[in-house]
Structures are given as C-alpha cells and as structure tokens.
Amino acid sequence: MSGAVRLYGRRTELEAVAALSGRVRSGRGGALLIAAEPGLGRTALLRRAAADFGAGPVLHTRAVPAESRLPYSALHALLCAAGGAGPAGVPSSGLAPGALLELLRSRAAGRPLLVCVDDAHLWDDRSRAALGFAARRPDALSAVGLLLTTAAHRAQDPDLAGLPVVRPGPLPEHAAGELLDELTEEGADPAVRQALLHEAEGNPALLKALLGRLSPAQLSGHAPLPRPLADGDALLL
C-alpha cells in the first residue's frame, strides 16, 4: 500500500489519525473508529494512514460479508494478513477475552504496529467482540494501534461502544470543488462542474462515479448531460 493518498476537506479526521499514529510510534497503544456513510472516504482514510505510518508494519484487512456467519472468520483473516498464522491460530470453540491482545503484541514484537480494519461492522459477531475488547484497552496494546471503520449507523454497536470516534460528513463545497478540479484537470465546463457538485452533495465517491459517466464532449459542455445525472447504478457506492 504505497503512494500518497490525497484527501480534501478531511483536516479534522487526518489530525485524529495522525494523533493515533503518534501514540503508536511513541510506544503507546490506541484505537480510533471512523464512522461514515458509504462513499464519504472511510476506506481512503485507512489507506492514507497506512501510507503515512512508516514506523513499522501495517496489517490491513476488510470484512468479507459472505463469511459474516462463520465464527472467528474475520480474526482468521487478520492473522493471515499478519503472516504465518494458520487456522489453528483462532480456536473455533472460543477465544479468551485477552487473546487478541496477546496475538497483536506478539505480532508487533516490540515495534510499532498499525492494524487497519475496514468495515468492522461486517465482521462476524465473535471476531467483532474480540476486536472491541482489545480496542477499549489501549494501555494493554503497547505500540499497537487499531484503526477501524464502520457504517455510521453502527458506530454505537455494543461491540464497538466506548471507542474514540470521528464521523466524516459530506465534503464542503470548496473541498468537493478541489477534488473535481483535480479529477478533471480543471477541464470541466463551469455549468457542468456546478451540476456535478450539486448532484454529488459532497459525496466524493458519488462525484467520481458521476464524472465517470460523462464523455469528453459532455464534460466540456458540447453535448447534453445524461438525465437523470445520477441513476441507480451511479448511486450504488
């Protein structure tokens, strides 16, 4: 996961992520939950955090909805991402509350470790409970950071309750405009540009999807825009 990830209108969120990374670099543990609606950039924030970390290994995993009913399937995926962990690493009959803490500390081996979990709300129940247990004990994590994302309406789930939370909202118009200008290399007709910004309502993923539907002639204002500009396919983020 290399290369800069440029984000617009996310200063508060980036500062929170940087604070977590700073704790981990200094040898302390911590956790942060990013709760947002689809398309508002929670995955992009994880990618940016991973790209900027640089102090040690980064484990990145995301939920597989098809496995959400398999006990401990998500923890197994996390251990596989860590390398060298086979199925025996996660017992099917039960997991002691502190076991994930021990697994993460062991994987860190004294170095700073950042663990990025995308769509934690889609983890199986037992894995999510173990994840929340570990995330609520930053003092026991020592040099391990847990950066989690979830759907906005799942931020108060009991398994994830009590964690520091940032809630990215729609981009302000100036930030959405900067993103659009970058994507189009400032080549959009002013009226088309305004129509795209109005339709996307600050959702960066939707803005990119709408832009992807336009031909060069439509983008430059030489051909009419599709109507509706955002159809069902564009709204499936």
Side-chain angles (χ1 to χ4, degrees):
M1 199 175 304
S2 59
V5 180
R6 188 170 186 181
L7 301 177
Y8 294 93
R10 294 294 182 233
R11 179 177 178 180
T12 298
E13 294 85 351
L14 289 171
E15 287 177 347
V17 170
L20 172 64
S21 295
R23 283 182 59 89
V24 176
R25 290 190 192 98
S26 71
R28 296 174 294 166
L32 181 66
L33 181 64
I34 300 170
E37 297 298 339
L40 292 181
R42 61 193 192 218
T43 297
L45 283 163
L46 256 63
R47 291 174 178 163
R48 173 65 178 269
D52 288 350
F53 187 58
V58 177
L59 302 184
H60 192 284
T61 186
R62 67 178 308 161
V64 178
E67 298 179 356
S68 63
R69 295 187 179 182
L70 299 176
Y72 299 113
S73 58
L75 282 183
H76 180 257
L78 178 61
L79 292 176
C80 287
V90 179
S92 59
S93 59
L95 187 73
L100 181 57
L101 288 169
E102 293 300 326
L103 288 169
L104 292 174
R105 285 197 295 256
S106 174
R107 178 62 181 86
R111 298 177 300 165
L113 171 67
L114 181 65
V115 180
C116 297
V117 177
D118 209 1
D119 292 339
H121 60 287
L122 298 178
W123 271 27
D124 64 277
D125 291 346
R126 295 183 185 183
S127 293
R128 192 171 60 249
L131 183 67
F133 182 92
R136 284 189 293 271
R137 287 158 175 79
D139 292 340
L141 284 170
S142 62
V144 176
L146 295 176
L147 183 58
L148 320 176
T149 75
T150 186
H153 67 283
R154 298 290 299 272
Q156 297 305 314
D157 277 11
D159 291 331
L160 301 176
L163 303 182
V165 183
V166 293
R167 300 176 182 273
L171 297 180
E173 186 171 356
H174 71 86
E178 289 177 348
L179 173 60
L180 180 56
D181 290 341
E182 179 188 282
L183 294 172
T184 62
E185 298 181 352
E186 300 190 17
D189 173 79
V192 173
R193 182 181 186 275
Q194 191 57 42
L196 288 167
L197 292 174
H198 175 77
E199 195 71 30
E201 296 184 328
N203 187 306
L206 179 55
L207 182 60
K208 293 175 184 178
L210 295 176
L211 184 59
R213 301 184 66 208
L214 302 187
S215 68
Q218 290 171 323
L219 185 61
S220 64
H222 294 123
L225 296 176
R227 297 297 179 191
L229 186 54
D231 62 11
D233 290 338
L235 293 172
L236 292 175
L237 300 173

